[in-house]
Amino acid sequence: IDVNTAKTERGNISKKIVFYGETKAKESSIISSQFAGRLKDFALYEGDRVQINQRMAVIVGEQAEALLQGANNIKNPDRKEFIENEVKETYVLSPLSGVIVEKYKNNGDVVSKGDPILKILDLSDLYLWGNLPSIYLTEVKSGQKALIYFEDIPGRIFMSKIDAFKGEINLINKTVKVRINLDRKSVV
């Protein structure tokens, strides 16, 4: 019997484990009205980028709106200007830089206290929540290298590391949630 031998080499063994998940932003905010009124100067749309403290809209309170409408009927320009200066408008400012992903109200809409107006995501800091089959749980550890592929972005590979495990196994689909930080600059 012929026997072939090979020289052994020390090194890491890599294994490809494929699992699926979803991308999420670490920071998001749903902007809601702090009081009843009418939205004014609200010209943003889904997909628009906003900066922190950017004025996105104005809310004119119910009483202020009634005063302004009444001011239109006043003939005395000084009195009209006085009323217009006394009416306070409230600015809706962006609490973070990001992208508008949902818009619930439009310019001119009446809002009640607590009504959601829009949702903003900070896309500069993303992570993935993947569903790792539990049979691989002993092979995957925090800090381990992860290569990330997106079906919607063919040909681009992102390199990252396993950040955390949710800690409980889903008994229905036999998976555990794994969080991976996504550094968008780490394209391989």
Side-chain angles (χ1 to χ4, degrees), residues 26-153:
K26 285 190 179 177
E27 191 171 359
S28 67
S29 183
I30 295 178
I31 311 305
S32 299
S33 177
Q34 298 300 308
F35 56 89
R38 183 175 303 277
L39 280 174
K40 179 178 145 187
D41 300 334
F42 185 41
L44 295 170
Y45 298 96
E46 290 177 357
D48 285 349
R49 293 190 177 278
V50 293
Q51 298 300 315
I52 191 166
N53 294 323
Q54 176 181 332
R55 187 172 103 177
M56 300 183 295
V58 174
I59 299 177
V60 180
E62 295 170 328
Q63 293 174 342
E65 189 171 33
L67 282 172
L68 287 172
Q69 287 175 350
N72 290 332
N73 298 327
I74 295 175
K75 304 289 185 220
N76 181 334
D78 292 334
R79 181 77 177 135
K80 182 176 180 178
E81 183 179 347
F82 173 78
I83 291 174
E84 289 172 348
N85 288 336
E86 287 299 308
V87 171
K88 302 292 183 222
E89 297 176 331
T90 301
Y91 298 139
V92 178
L93 304 177
S94 177
L96 55 98
S97 294
V99 175
I100 296 173
V101 293
E102 293 182 48
K103 183 177 174 184
Y104 309 113
K105 299 290 183 183
N106 294 300
N107 194 49
D109 284 355
V110 173
V111 293
S112 298
K113 182 178 181 176
D115 280 355
I117 299 170
L118 52 83
K119 181 177 183 179
I120 302 170
L121 292 181
D122 176 2
L123 299 180
S124 67
D125 201 6
L126 302 173
Y127 60 88
L128 305 173
W129 274 110
N131 295 311
L132 177 71
S134 61
I135 60 169
Y136 298 119
L137 198 51
T138 59
E139 299 175 42
V140 178
K141 310 250 182 296
S142 288
Q144 193 169 353
K145 182 171 81 169
L147 297 178
I148 303 160
Y149 305 84
F150 290 98
E151 292 177 357
D152 296 343
I153 312 173

